[in-house]
Amino acid sequence: MEGEIIDLFRFESKNLPKLSTDTLSHILRSNSISIHIRRGDYTKNNNTKIYHQCNFAYYRQALEYIMDNSKIGKLYIFSDDINWVENEYKFPI
C-alpha cells in the first residue's frame, strides 16, 4: 500500500514536457533554491479569512537567512499567479 501511494506521487522526467525537463536540468546543475508563492484560492471568497498569505517581508527575511548561511546561485520561483508575483515582488537573486 505504501509503495502504491509513493508511486502515485512520483513523477518521471521522461514524462515531462521539454521546457520542464530543461528547467529540471538547470535546477539539478546549480546550487539553487525554489520558492512557491500560492495565491489562487487563498484570495477568493471567505478563504482570505481562513488562509494567511505571506507578504514580501516574509520571503525577503527567509532569503536573507538562507543567503547568509549558504551559497545560492539561482532562485526559482513557482506560483499559480506568476504575473502577480513578478509585479509585486523584487527578489535579490
Side-chain angles (χ1 to χ4, degrees):
M1 180 65 128
E2 179 181 335
E4 291 176 42
I5 293 171
I6 290 170
D7 286 342
L8 288 172
F9 290 94
R10 178 180 297 139
F11 72 90
E12 296 182 23
S13 60
K14 67 181 180 181
N15 296 329
L16 295 174
K18 180 165 178 17
L19 176 61
S20 296
T21 57
D22 289 349
T23 302
L24 177 59
S25 177
H26 287 282
I27 290 170
L28 293 174
R29 288 193 318 256
S30 66
N31 192 21
S32 61
I33 61 170
S34 66
I35 295 175
H36 180 261
I37 299 174
R38 180 176 174 177
R39 287 187 31 88
D41 58 336
Y42 279 23
T43 63
K44 305 237 186 315
N45 304 323
N46 287 334
N47 290 343
T48 58
K49 297 173 186 163
I50 300 169
Y51 302 114
H52 174 75
Q53 290 187 49
C54 299
N55 60 22
F56 183 67
Y58 170 85
Y59 293 106
R60 186 185 67 242
Q61 184 179 8
L63 279 173
E64 286 173 0
Y65 177 84
I66 292 168
M67 291 168 63
D68 287 346
N69 292 285
S70 61
K71 286 190 126 176
I72 301 300
K74 187 85 170 168
L75 171 65
Y76 291 89
I77 301 170
F78 298 90
S79 178
D80 59 347
D81 193 352
I82 199 68
N83 291 329
W84 182 87
V85 172
E86 288 174 343
N87 289 325
E88 295 295 319
Y89 295 166
K90 303 299 178 216
F91 289 97
I93 61 172

Coordinates of all heavy atoms in Angstrom, one line a residue:
M1 N 0.8 -1.2 0.0 CA 0.0 0.0 0.0 C 0.9 1.3 0.0 O 0.6 2.2 -0.8 CB -0.9 0.0 1.2 CG -1.8 1.2 1.3 SD -3.0 1.3 -0.1 CE -4.5 1.5 0.8
E2 N 1.9 1.3 0.9 CA 2.8 2.5 0.9 C 3.4 2.7 -0.4 O 3.5 3.8 -0.9 CB 3.8 2.3 2.0 CG 4.8 3.5 2.1 CD 5.8 3.2 3.2 OE1 5.6 2.5 4.2 OE2 6.9 3.8 3.1
G3 N 3.9 1.6 -1.0 CA 4.6 1.7 -2.3 C 3.7 2.3 -3.4 O 4.1 3.1 -4.3
E4 N 2.4 1.9 -3.4 CA 1.4 2.4 -4.3 C 1.2 3.9 -4.2 O 1.1 4.6 -5.2 CB 0.1 1.6 -4.2 CG 0.2 0.2 -4.6 CD -1.1 -0.5 -4.3 OE1 -2.2 0.0 -4.6 OE2 -1.1 -1.7 -3.8
I5 N 1.1 4.3 -3.0 CA 0.9 5.7 -2.7 C 2.1 6.5 -3.2 O 2.0 7.6 -3.8 CB 0.6 6.0 -1.2 CG1 -0.7 5.4 -0.9 CG2 0.6 7.5 -0.9 CD1 -1.1 5.4 0.6
I6 N 3.3 6.1 -2.8 CA 4.5 6.8 -3.3 C 4.6 6.8 -4.8 O 4.9 7.9 -5.4 CB 5.8 6.1 -2.7 CG1 5.8 6.3 -1.2 CG2 7.1 6.6 -3.4 CD1 6.9 5.5 -0.5
D7 N 4.2 5.7 -5.5 CA 4.2 5.7 -6.9 C 3.3 6.7 -7.5 O 3.5 7.3 -8.6 CB 3.9 4.3 -7.5 CG 5.1 3.4 -7.3 OD1 6.2 3.8 -7.1 OD2 4.9 2.1 -7.4
L8 N 2.1 7.0 -6.9 CA 1.1 7.9 -7.3 C 1.7 9.4 -7.3 O 1.3 10.2 -8.2 CB -0.1 7.9 -6.5 CG -1.0 6.6 -6.7 CD1 -2.1 6.6 -5.6 CD2 -1.6 6.6 -8.1
F9 N 2.6 9.6 -6.4 CA 3.2 11.0 -6.3 C 4.5 11.2 -6.9 O 5.2 12.2 -6.8 CB 3.1 11.4 -4.8 CG 1.8 11.7 -4.3 CD1 1.1 10.7 -3.7 CD2 1.1 12.9 -4.6 CE1 -0.2 10.9 -3.2 CE2 -0.2 13.1 -4.1 CZ -0.9 12.1 -3.4
R10 N 5.1 10.1 -7.5 CA 6.4 10.2 -8.2 C 6.2 10.6 -9.6 O 5.4 10.1 -10.3 CB 7.1 8.8 -8.1 CG 8.4 8.8 -8.7 CD 9.1 7.5 -8.7 NE 9.3 7.2 -7.2 CZ 9.1 6.0 -6.7 NH1 8.7 4.9 -7.4 NH2 9.4 5.8 -5.4
F11 N 7.0 11.6 -10.0 CA 7.0 11.9 -11.5 C 8.3 11.5 -12.1 O 9.3 11.4 -11.4 CB 6.7 13.4 -11.7 CG 7.9 14.3 -11.3 CD1 8.8 14.6 -12.3 CD2 8.0 14.8 -10.1 CE1 9.9 15.4 -12.0 CE2 9.0 15.7 -9.7 CZ 10.0 16.0 -10.7
E12 N 8.3 11.2 -13.3 CA 9.5 10.8 -14.0 C 9.8 11.8 -15.1 O 8.9 12.2 -15.8 CB 9.3 9.4 -14.7 CG 9.1 8.3 -13.6 CD 9.0 6.9 -14.3 OE1 9.5 6.8 -15.4 OE2 8.5 6.1 -13.6
S13 N 11.0 12.3 -15.2 CA 11.3 13.4 -16.1 C 11.1 13.0 -17.5 O 10.8 13.8 -18.4 CB 12.8 13.8 -15.9 OG 13.6 12.7 -16.1
K14 N 11.0 11.7 -17.9 CA 10.8 11.3 -19.2 C 9.3 11.6 -19.7 O 9.0 11.7 -20.8 CB 11.1 9.8 -19.4 CG 10.1 8.9 -18.7 CD 10.5 7.4 -18.9 CE 9.5 6.5 -18.1 NZ 9.8 5.1 -18.3
N15 N 8.4 11.8 -18.7 CA 7.0 12.1 -19.0 C 6.8 13.6 -19.0 O 5.6 14.1 -19.1 CB 6.1 11.4 -18.0 CG 6.2 9.9 -18.1 OD1 6.5 9.4 -19.2 ND2 6.0 9.3 -17.0
L16 N 7.8 14.5 -18.7 CA 7.6 15.9 -18.6 C 7.8 16.6 -20.0 O 8.5 16.1 -20.8 CB 8.6 16.5 -17.7 CG 8.5 16.1 -16.2 CD1 9.6 16.7 -15.4 CD2 7.1 16.6 -15.6
P17 N 7.1 17.7 -20.2 CA 7.4 18.5 -21.4 C 8.8 19.0 -21.5 O 9.5 19.1 -20.5 CB 6.4 19.7 -21.3 CG 5.4 19.3 -20.2 CD 6.1 18.3 -19.4
K18 N 9.3 19.3 -22.7 CA 10.7 19.7 -22.8 C 11.1 20.9 -22.0 O 12.1 20.9 -21.4 CB 11.0 20.0 -24.3 CG 12.5 20.4 -24.5 CD 12.9 20.4 -25.9 CE 14.3 20.8 -26.2 NZ 15.2 20.9 -25.1
L19 N 10.2 21.9 -21.9 CA 10.5 23.1 -21.1 C 10.7 22.7 -19.6 O 11.6 23.1 -19.0 CB 9.4 24.1 -21.2 CG 9.5 25.3 -20.3 CD1 10.8 26.1 -20.6 CD2 8.3 26.2 -20.4
S20 N 9.9 21.7 -19.1 CA 10.1 21.3 -17.8 C 11.3 20.5 -17.6 O 12.0 20.6 -16.6 CB 8.9 20.4 -17.4 OG 7.7 21.2 -17.4
T21 N 11.7 19.6 -18.5 CA 12.9 18.8 -18.4 C 14.2 19.8 -18.5 O 15.1 19.5 -17.8 CB 13.0 17.7 -19.4 OG1 12.9 18.3 -20.8 CG2 12.0 16.7 -19.2
D22 N 14.1 20.8 -19.3 CA 15.2 21.7 -19.4 C 15.3 22.5 -18.1 O 16.5 22.7 -17.6 CB 15.0 22.8 -20.5 CG 15.1 22.1 -21.9 OD1 15.6 21.0 -22.0 OD2 14.7 22.8 -22.9
T23 N 14.2 22.9 -17.5 CA 14.3 23.6 -16.2 C 14.8 22.7 -15.1 O 15.7 23.1 -14.3 CB 12.9 24.1 -15.8 OG1 12.4 25.0 -16.9 CG2 12.9 24.9 -14.5
L24 N 14.3 21.5 -15.1 CA 14.8 20.5 -14.1 C 16.3 20.3 -14.3 O 17.1 20.3 -13.3 CB 14.1 19.2 -14.3 CG 14.5 18.0 -13.4 CD1 14.4 18.4 -11.9 CD2 13.8 16.7 -13.7
S25 N 16.8 20.2 -15.5 CA 18.2 20.0 -15.7 C 19.0 21.2 -15.2 O 20.1 21.0 -14.5 CB 18.5 19.9 -17.2 OG 19.9 19.8 -17.5
H26 N 18.5 22.4 -15.4 CA 19.2 23.6 -14.9 C 19.2 23.6 -13.3 O 20.2 23.9 -12.7 CB 18.5 24.9 -15.3 CG 18.8 25.2 -16.8 ND1 19.9 25.8 -17.2 CD2 18.0 25.0 -17.9 CE1 19.9 25.9 -18.5 NE2 18.7 25.5 -18.9
I27 N 18.1 23.2 -12.7 CA 18.0 23.2 -11.3 C 19.0 22.2 -10.7 O 19.7 22.5 -9.7 CB 16.6 22.8 -10.9 CG1 15.6 24.0 -11.1 CG2 16.5 22.4 -9.4 CD1 14.1 23.6 -11.0
L28 N 19.1 21.0 -11.3 CA 20.0 20.0 -10.8 C 21.5 20.3 -11.0 O 22.3 19.9 -10.2 CB 19.7 18.6 -11.5 CG 18.3 18.0 -11.2 CD1 18.1 16.8 -12.1 CD2 18.2 17.7 -9.7
R29 N 21.8 21.2 -12.0 CA 23.2 21.6 -12.2 C 23.6 22.8 -11.4 O 24.8 23.2 -11.4 CB 23.4 21.9 -13.7 CG 23.4 20.7 -14.6 CD 23.9 21.0 -16.0 NE 23.5 22.3 -16.5 CZ 22.5 22.4 -17.4 NH1 22.0 21.3 -17.9 NH2 22.1 23.6 -17.8
S30 N 22.7 23.5 -10.7 CA 23.1 24.7 -10.0 C 22.8 24.5 -8.5 O 22.1 23.7 -8.0 CB 22.2 25.9 -10.5 OG 20.9 25.7 -10.2
N31 N 23.5 25.4 -7.7 CA 23.2 25.5 -6.3 C 22.0 26.4 -6.1 O 22.2 27.6 -6.0 CB 24.4 26.0 -5.6 CG 24.3 25.8 -4.1 OD1 23.5 25.0 -3.6 ND2 25.1 26.6 -3.3
S32 N 20.8 25.9 -6.1 CA 19.6 26.7 -6.2 C 18.6 26.4 -5.1 O 18.7 25.3 -4.5 CB 19.0 26.5 -7.6 OG 18.6 25.2 -7.8
I33 N 17.7 27.3 -5.0 CA 16.6 27.0 -4.1 C 15.3 27.4 -4.9 O 15.4 28.1 -5.9 CB 16.6 27.8 -2.8 CG1 16.7 29.3 -3.0 CG2 17.8 27.4 -2.0 CD1 16.5 30.2 -1.8
S34 N 14.2 27.0 -4.4 CA 12.9 27.4 -5.0 C 12.0 27.9 -3.9 O 12.1 27.5 -2.8 CB 12.3 26.2 -5.8 OG 11.9 25.2 -4.9
I35 N 11.1 28.8 -4.4 CA 10.0 29.3 -3.5 C 8.7 29.1 -4.3 O 8.7 29.3 -5.5 CB 10.2 30.8 -3.3 CG1 11.5 31.1 -2.5 CG2 9.0 31.4 -2.6 CD1 11.8 32.5 -2.3
H36 N 7.7 28.7 -3.5 CA 6.4 28.6 -4.1 C 5.5 29.6 -3.4 O 5.4 29.6 -2.2 CB 5.8 27.2 -3.9 CG 4.4 27.1 -4.5 ND1 3.3 27.2 -3.7 CD2 4.0 26.9 -5.8 CE1 2.2 27.1 -4.5 NE2 2.7 26.9 -5.8
I37 N 4.9 30.5 -4.3 CA 4.0 31.5 -3.7 C 2.6 31.2 -4.2 O 2.3 31.3 -5.4 CB 4.5 32.9 -4.2 CG1 5.9 33.2 -3.7 CG2 3.5 34.0 -3.7 CD1 6.5 34.5 -4.2
R38 N 1.8 30.7 -3.3 CA 0.4 30.3 -3.7 C -0.5 31.5 -3.4 O -0.5 32.2 -2.4 CB 0.0 29.2 -2.8 CG -1.4 28.7 -3.1 CD -1.7 27.5 -2.3 NE -3.1 27.1 -2.5 CZ -3.6 26.0 -2.0 NH1 -2.9 25.2 -1.2 NH2 -4.9 25.7 -2.2
R39 N -1.4 31.7 -4.4 CA -2.4 32.7 -4.3 C -3.8 32.1 -4.6 O -4.5 31.7 -3.7 CB -2.1 33.9 -5.2 CG -1.0 34.7 -4.7 CD -0.7 36.0 -5.4 NE -1.8 36.7 -6.0 CZ -2.6 37.6 -5.5 NH1 -2.4 37.9 -4.2 NH2 -3.6 38.2 -6.1
G40 N -4.1 32.0 -5.8 CA -5.3 31.3 -6.3 C -6.4 31.3 -5.3 O -7.0 32.4 -5.1
D41 N -6.8 30.2 -4.8 CA -7.9 30.1 -3.9 C -7.7 30.8 -2.5 O -8.7 31.0 -1.8 CB -8.3 28.6 -3.6 CG -7.2 27.8 -3.0 OD1 -6.1 28.2 -3.2 OD2 -7.5 26.8 -2.4
Y42 N -6.5 31.1 -2.2 CA -6.2 31.9 -1.0 C -6.9 33.3 -1.1 O -7.1 33.9 0.0 CB -4.7 32.0 -0.7 CG -4.1 30.8 -0.1 CD1 -4.6 29.6 -0.2 CD2 -2.9 31.0 0.6 CE1 -4.0 28.5 0.4 CE2 -2.3 29.9 1.2 CZ -2.9 28.6 1.0 OH -2.3 27.5 1.6
T43 N -7.1 33.8 -2.3 CA -7.5 35.2 -2.4 C -9.0 35.2 -2.8 O -9.6 36.3 -3.0 CB -6.8 35.9 -3.6 OG1 -7.0 35.2 -4.8 CG2 -5.3 35.9 -3.3
K44 N -9.7 34.1 -2.8 CA -11.1 34.1 -3.2 C -12.1 33.9 -2.0 O -11.8 33.3 -1.0 CB -11.3 32.9 -4.1 CG -10.4 32.9 -5.3 CD -11.1 32.9 -6.6 CE -10.3 32.8 -7.8 NZ -9.2 33.5 -8.1
N45 N -13.2 34.6 -2.1 CA -14.3 34.4 -1.2 C -13.9 34.5 0.3 O -13.2 35.4 0.6 CB -15.1 33.1 -1.5 CG -15.5 33.0 -2.9 OD1 -15.9 34.0 -3.5 ND2 -15.4 31.8 -3.5
N46 N -14.4 33.6 1.1 CA -14.1 33.7 2.5 C -12.7 33.1 2.8 O -12.3 33.1 4.0 CB -15.2 32.9 3.3 CG -16.5 33.7 3.3 OD1 -16.5 34.9 3.3 ND2 -17.6 33.0 3.5
N47 N -12.0 32.6 1.9 CA -10.7 32.0 2.1 C -9.7 33.0 2.7 O -8.8 32.6 3.4 CB -10.1 31.3 0.9 CG -10.9 30.1 0.5 OD1 -11.7 29.6 1.3 ND2 -10.8 29.7 -0.8
T48 N -9.9 34.3 2.4 CA -9.0 35.3 3.0 C -9.1 35.3 4.5 O -8.1 35.7 5.1 CB -9.2 36.7 2.4 OG1 -10.6 37.0 2.7 CG2 -9.0 36.7 0.9
K49 N -10.2 34.9 5.0 CA -10.3 34.8 6.5 C -9.7 33.5 7.1 O -9.5 33.5 8.3 CB -11.8 34.9 6.9 CG -12.4 36.3 6.4 CD -13.9 36.3 6.7 CE -14.5 37.5 6.1 NZ -15.9 37.5 6.0
I50 N -9.6 32.5 6.2 CA -9.1 31.2 6.7 C -7.6 31.1 6.5 O -6.9 30.6 7.4 CB -9.8 30.1 5.9 CG1 -11.3 30.2 6.1 CG2 -9.2 28.7 6.3 CD1 -12.1 29.3 5.2
Y51 N -7.1 31.5 5.3 CA -5.7 31.3 5.0 C -4.9 32.5 5.1 O -5.3 33.6 4.7 CB -5.5 30.7 3.5 CG -6.3 29.5 3.3 CD1 -7.4 29.4 2.5 CD2 -5.9 28.3 3.9 CE1 -8.1 28.2 2.2 CE2 -6.6 27.1 3.7 CZ -7.6 27.1 2.9 OH -8.3 25.9 2.6
H52 N -3.7 32.4 5.6 CA -2.8 33.5 5.7 C -1.9 33.6 4.5 O -1.3 32.6 4.1 CB -1.9 33.4 7.0 CG -0.8 34.4 7.1 ND1 -1.1 35.7 7.4 CD2 0.5 34.4 6.8 CE1 0.0 36.4 7.4 NE2 1.0 35.6 7.1
Q53 N -1.7 34.8 3.9 CA -0.8 35.0 2.8 C 0.4 35.6 3.3 O 0.4 36.7 3.9 CB -1.5 35.8 1.7 CG -2.6 35.2 1.0 CD -3.1 36.0 -0.1 OE1 -2.3 36.5 -0.9 NE2 -4.4 36.2 -0.2
C54 N 1.6 35.0 3.0 CA 2.8 35.6 3.4 C 3.1 36.8 2.6 O 2.9 36.8 1.3 CB 4.0 34.6 3.2 SG 3.7 33.1 4.2
N55 N 3.7 37.9 3.2 CA 4.0 39.1 2.5 C 5.4 39.1 2.0 O 6.2 38.1 2.3 CB 3.7 40.3 3.3 CG 4.5 40.4 4.6 OD1 5.5 39.7 4.7 ND2 3.9 41.1 5.6
F56 N 5.8 40.1 1.3 CA 7.2 40.1 0.7 C 8.2 40.1 1.9 O 9.3 39.5 1.7 CB 7.4 41.3 -0.2 CG 8.8 41.4 -0.8 CD1 9.1 40.4 -1.7 CD2 9.7 42.3 -0.4 CE1 10.4 40.4 -2.3 CE2 10.9 42.4 -1.0 CZ 11.3 41.4 -1.9
A57 N 8.0 40.8 3.0 CA 8.9 40.8 4.1 C 9.2 39.4 4.6 O 10.4 39.1 4.9 CB 8.4 41.7 5.2
Y58 N 8.2 38.6 4.6 CA 8.4 37.2 5.0 C 9.4 36.5 4.1 O 10.4 35.8 4.5 CB 7.1 36.4 5.0 CG 7.2 34.9 5.2 CD1 7.4 34.3 6.4 CD2 7.3 34.1 4.0 CE1 7.5 33.0 6.6 CE2 7.4 32.7 4.2 CZ 7.5 32.2 5.4 OH 7.7 30.8 5.6
Y59 N 9.2 36.6 2.8 CA 10.1 35.9 1.8 C 11.5 36.6 1.8 O 12.5 35.9 1.7 CB 9.5 36.0 0.4 CG 8.3 35.2 0.2 CD1 7.0 35.8 0.2 CD2 8.3 33.8 0.2 CE1 5.9 35.0 0.0 CE2 7.2 33.0 0.0 CZ 6.0 33.6 0.0 OH 4.8 32.9 -0.1
R60 N 11.6 37.9 1.9 CA 12.9 38.6 2.0 C 13.7 38.1 3.2 O 14.9 37.8 3.1 CB 12.7 40.1 2.0 CG 14.0 40.9 1.9 CD 13.8 42.4 2.1 NE 13.4 42.7 3.4 CZ 12.2 43.3 3.8 NH1 11.4 43.6 2.8 NH2 11.9 43.5 5.0
Q61 N 13.0 38.0 4.4 CA 13.7 37.6 5.6 C 14.2 36.2 5.4 O 15.3 35.8 5.8 CB 12.8 37.7 6.8 CG 13.5 37.4 8.1 CD 12.5 37.6 9.3 OE1 11.3 37.8 9.1 NE2 13.0 37.4 10.5
A62 N 13.4 35.3 4.9 CA 13.8 33.9 4.7 C 15.0 33.8 3.7 O 15.9 33.1 4.0 CB 12.6 33.1 4.1
L63 N 14.9 34.6 2.6 CA 16.0 34.6 1.6 C 17.3 35.1 2.2 O 18.4 34.6 2.0 CB 15.7 35.4 0.4 CG 14.8 34.6 -0.6 CD1 14.3 35.6 -1.7 CD2 15.6 33.5 -1.2
E64 N 17.2 36.2 3.0 CA 18.4 36.8 3.7 C 19.0 35.7 4.6 O 20.3 35.6 4.6 CB 18.0 38.0 4.4 CG 17.8 39.2 3.6 CD 17.2 40.4 4.3 OE1 17.1 40.4 5.6 OE2 17.0 41.5 3.7
Y65 N 18.2 35.0 5.3 CA 18.8 34.0 6.2 C 19.5 32.9 5.4 O 20.6 32.5 5.7 CB 17.6 33.3 7.1 CG 18.1 32.2 7.9 CD1 18.7 32.5 9.1 CD2 18.0 30.9 7.5 CE1 19.2 31.4 9.9 CE2 18.5 29.9 8.2 CZ 19.1 30.1 9.5 OH 19.6 29.1 10.2
I66 N 18.8 32.4 4.4 CA 19.4 31.4 3.5 C 20.7 31.9 2.9 O 21.7 31.2 2.9 CB 18.4 30.9 2.4 CG1 17.3 30.2 3.1 CG2 19.1 30.0 1.4 CD1 16.1 29.9 2.2
M67 N 20.7 33.1 2.3 CA 21.9 33.6 1.7 C 23.0 33.9 2.7 O 24.2 33.7 2.3 CB 21.5 34.9 0.9 CG 20.6 34.6 -0.3 SD 19.9 36.1 -1.0 CE 21.3 37.0 -1.6
D68 N 22.7 34.2 3.9 CA 23.8 34.4 4.9 C 24.4 33.1 5.4 O 25.5 33.0 5.9 CB 23.2 35.1 6.1 CG 22.9 36.6 5.9 OD1 23.4 37.1 4.9 OD2 22.2 37.2 6.7
N69 N 23.7 32.0 5.2 CA 24.1 30.7 5.7 C 24.4 29.7 4.6 O 24.7 28.5 4.9 CB 23.0 30.1 6.6 CG 22.9 30.9 7.9 OD1 23.8 30.9 8.7 ND2 21.9 31.8 8.0
S70 N 24.4 30.1 3.4 CA 24.7 29.1 2.3 C 25.1 29.9 1.0 O 24.9 31.1 0.9 CB 23.6 28.2 2.0 OG 22.4 28.9 1.6
K71 N 25.6 29.2 0.0 CA 25.9 29.8 -1.2 C 24.8 29.4 -2.2 O 24.8 28.3 -2.7 CB 27.3 29.3 -1.8 CG 28.4 29.9 -1.0 CD 29.7 29.6 -1.8 CE 30.4 30.9 -2.0 NZ 31.6 30.9 -2.6
I72 N 24.0 30.4 -2.6 CA 22.9 30.1 -3.5 C 23.2 30.9 -4.8 O 23.5 32.1 -4.8 CB 21.6 30.6 -3.0 CG1 21.2 29.9 -1.6 CG2 20.4 30.5 -4.0 CD1 21.1 28.4 -1.7
G73 N 23.2 30.2 -5.9 CA 23.5 30.8 -7.2 C 22.2 31.1 -8.0 O 22.3 32.0 -8.9
K74 N 21.1 30.5 -7.7 CA 19.9 30.7 -8.5 C 18.7 30.5 -7.7 O 18.6 29.6 -6.8 CB 19.9 29.7 -9.7 CG 18.9 29.8 -10.7 CD 19.3 30.8 -11.8 CE 18.3 30.7 -12.9 NZ 18.4 31.7 -13.8
L75 N 17.7 31.3 -7.9 CA 16.4 31.3 -7.3 C 15.3 31.0 -8.3 O 15.2 31.6 -9.3 CB 16.1 32.6 -6.6 CG 14.7 32.8 -6.0 CD1 14.5 31.8 -4.8 CD2 14.5 34.2 -5.5
Y76 N 14.6 29.9 -8.0 CA 13.4 29.6 -8.9 C 12.2 29.9 -8.1 O 12.0 29.5 -7.0 CB 13.5 28.1 -9.3 CG 14.6 27.7 -10.2 CD1 15.9 27.4 -9.7 CD2 14.4 27.8 -11.6 CE1 16.9 27.1 -10.6 CE2 15.5 27.5 -12.4 CZ 16.7 27.2 -11.9 OH 17.8 26.9 -12.8
I77 N 11.3 30.6 -8.8 CA 10.0 31.0 -8.2 C 8.9 30.3 -8.9 O 8.8 30.4 -10.1 CB 9.8 32.5 -8.2 CG1 10.9 33.2 -7.4 CG2 8.5 32.8 -7.6 CD1 11.0 34.6 -7.5
F78 N 8.0 29.6 -8.2 CA 6.9 28.9 -8.7 C 5.6 29.5 -8.1 O 5.6 29.8 -6.9 CB 7.0 27.4 -8.5 CG 8.1 26.7 -9.1 CD1 9.3 26.6 -8.4 CD2 8.1 26.2 -10.4 CE1 10.4 26.0 -9.0 CE2 9.2 25.6 -11.0 CZ 10.4 25.5 -10.2
S79 N 4.6 29.7 -8.9 CA 3.4 30.3 -8.4 C 2.2 29.9 -9.3 O 2.4 29.7 -10.5 CB 3.5 31.8 -8.3 OG 2.3 32.4 -7.8
D80 N 1.0 30.0 -8.8 CA -0.2 29.8 -9.6 C -0.6 31.2 -10.1 O -1.6 31.3 -10.8 CB -1.3 29.1 -8.8 CG -1.7 29.9 -7.5 OD1 -0.9 30.8 -7.1 OD2 -2.7 29.5 -7.0
D81 N 0.1 32.2 -9.7 CA -0.2 33.6 -10.2 C 1.2 34.3 -10.5 O 1.5 35.3 -9.8 CB -1.0 34.3 -9.2 CG -1.6 35.6 -9.7 OD1 -1.3 36.0 -10.8 OD2 -2.5 36.2 -9.0
I82 N 2.0 33.8 -11.4 CA 3.3 34.3 -11.6 C 3.3 35.8 -12.0 O 4.2 36.5 -11.7 CB 4.1 33.4 -12.6 CG1 5.6 33.6 -12.4 CG2 3.6 33.6 -14.0 CD1 6.2 33.2 -11.1
N83 N 2.3 36.2 -12.8 CA 2.3 37.6 -13.2 C 2.2 38.6 -12.0 O 2.8 39.6 -11.9 CB 1.1 37.9 -14.2 CG 1.4 37.2 -15.5 OD1 2.5 37.1 -16.0 ND2 0.3 36.8 -16.2
W84 N 1.4 38.2 -11.0 CA 1.2 39.0 -9.8 C 2.5 39.0 -9.1 O 3.0 40.1 -8.6 CB 0.1 38.4 -9.0 CG -0.1 39.2 -7.7 CD1 -1.0 40.3 -7.6 CD2 0.5 39.0 -6.4 NE1 -0.9 40.7 -6.3 CE2 0.0 40.0 -5.5 CE3 1.4 38.0 -5.9 CZ2 0.3 40.0 -4.2 CZ3 1.7 38.1 -4.6 CH2 1.2 39.1 -3.8
V85 N 3.2 37.9 -8.9 CA 4.5 37.8 -8.2 C 5.5 38.7 -8.9 O 6.2 39.5 -8.2 CB 5.0 36.4 -8.2 CG1 6.4 36.3 -7.6 CG2 4.1 35.5 -7.3
E86 N 5.6 38.7 -10.2 CA 6.5 39.5 -11.0 C 6.3 41.0 -10.7 O 7.2 41.8 -10.7 CB 6.5 39.2 -12.5 CG 7.1 37.8 -12.8 CD 6.9 37.4 -14.2 OE1 6.1 38.0 -14.9 OE2 7.7 36.5 -14.7
N87 N 5.0 41.4 -10.6 CA 4.7 42.8 -10.4 C 4.8 43.2 -9.0 O 5.1 44.4 -8.8 CB 3.2 43.0 -10.9 CG 3.1 43.0 -12.4 OD1 4.0 43.4 -13.1 ND2 2.0 42.5 -12.8
E88 N 4.7 42.3 -8.0 CA 4.6 42.7 -6.6 C 6.0 42.6 -5.9 O 6.3 43.3 -5.0 CB 3.6 41.9 -5.9 CG 2.2 42.2 -6.3 CD 1.7 43.6 -6.0 OE1 2.1 44.1 -4.9 OE2 1.1 44.2 -6.9
Y89 N 6.8 41.6 -6.3 CA 8.0 41.2 -5.6 C 9.2 41.4 -6.4 O 9.2 41.0 -7.6 CB 7.9 39.7 -5.1 CG 6.9 39.4 -4.1 CD1 6.5 38.1 -3.8 CD2 6.1 40.4 -3.4 CE1 5.6 37.7 -2.9 CE2 5.2 40.0 -2.5 CZ 4.9 38.7 -2.2 OH 3.9 38.4 -1.3
K90 N 10.2 41.9 -5.8 CA 11.5 42.1 -6.5 C 12.5 41.3 -5.6 O 13.0 41.8 -4.6 CB 11.9 43.5 -6.6 CG 10.9 44.4 -7.4 CD 10.8 43.9 -8.8 CE 9.7 44.7 -9.6 NZ 8.9 43.9 -10.4
F91 N 12.9 40.1 -6.0 CA 13.8 39.3 -5.2 C 15.3 39.7 -5.5 O 15.6 40.0 -6.6 CB 13.6 37.8 -5.5 CG 12.2 37.3 -5.0 CD1 11.1 37.3 -5.8 CD2 12.2 37.0 -3.6 CE1 9.9 36.8 -5.3 CE2 10.9 36.5 -3.1 CZ 9.8 36.4 -3.9
P92 N 16.1 39.5 -4.5 CA 17.5 40.0 -4.6 C 18.4 39.1 -5.5 O 19.5 39.5 -5.8 CB 18.0 40.0 -3.1 CG 17.1 39.0 -2.4 CD 15.8 39.1 -3.1
I93 N 18.0 37.9 -5.7 CA 18.8 37.0 -6.6 C 17.9 36.4 -7.7 O 16.8 36.4 -7.6 CB 19.5 35.9 -5.8 CG1 18.5 34.9 -5.1 CG2 20.5 36.4 -4.8 CD1 19.1 33.7 -4.4

